[in-house]
Amino acid sequence: NTADMQIKNLTKAFGIEDFSDPAEGAKACRKTCLSYLLCQFWQYSDVYGCFVEDDLRKNIAYPLVSDGVELVTGSYEASTFKHGEYVQHVCEPGPAVPLPTDPPVAAAAPAPASISAQP
């Protein structure tokens, strides 16, 4: 639970105006993070909206410790985050599936139809 703390370097996914009920906004925020394989943290603020980890944009400190810089508690901003989690994406055991290594191939465009003039 990451309530009442602010994790720095999260990316804003959406604002509070998207959901009138903060609980619904928090559910959508969680689902946003769960749907993105690189997301390990999400937080929902009743003032600022949804923030998720996007490691391709910004890096979260590792290990994440309450140092007042990368993880802030006791500030007004931190007090607005009422929902949040640390998420671990885990694959269920099963048969190994090889990763695709070939680049996608564009389908050939159909040949243009010829139009013949009638006498």
Side-chain angles (χ1 to χ4, degrees):
N1 182 352
T2 63
D4 296 318
M5 59 182 74
Q6 181 183 16
I7 300 171
K8 296 292 189 163
N9 290 334
L10 296 180
T11 300
K12 187 170 186 175
F14 57 84
I16 60 169
E17 60 279 350
D18 292 342
F19 294 91
S20 59
D21 179 10
E24 291 301 314
K27 284 182 186 177
C29 192
R30 181 176 188 269
K31 288 180 180 180
T32 300
C33 182
L34 292 176
S35 70
Y36 184 44
L37 188 58
L38 299 178
C39 181
Q40 295 184 90
F41 295 98
W42 68 270
Q43 291 191 293
Y44 189 79
S45 163
D46 56 5
V47 175
Y48 304 108
C50 175
F51 292 82
V52 297
E53 180 182 15
D54 183 354
D55 205 35
L56 297 177
R57 290 185 177 197
K58 298 177 187 173
N59 293 321
I60 305 299
Y62 183 82
L64 187 60
V65 295
S66 182
D67 60 1
V69 178
E70 299 294 331
L71 178 64
V72 178
T73 59
S75 70
Y76 168 75
E77 289 84 4
S79 71
T80 69
F81 287 96
K82 302 299 183 190
H83 307 275
E85 288 180 309
Y86 167 65
V87 175
Q88 288 185 305
H89 297 271
V90 180
C91 296
E92 295 294 323
V97 178
L99 296 174
T101 56
D102 294 330
V105 177
S114 61
I115 301 174
S116 60
Q118 293 189 357

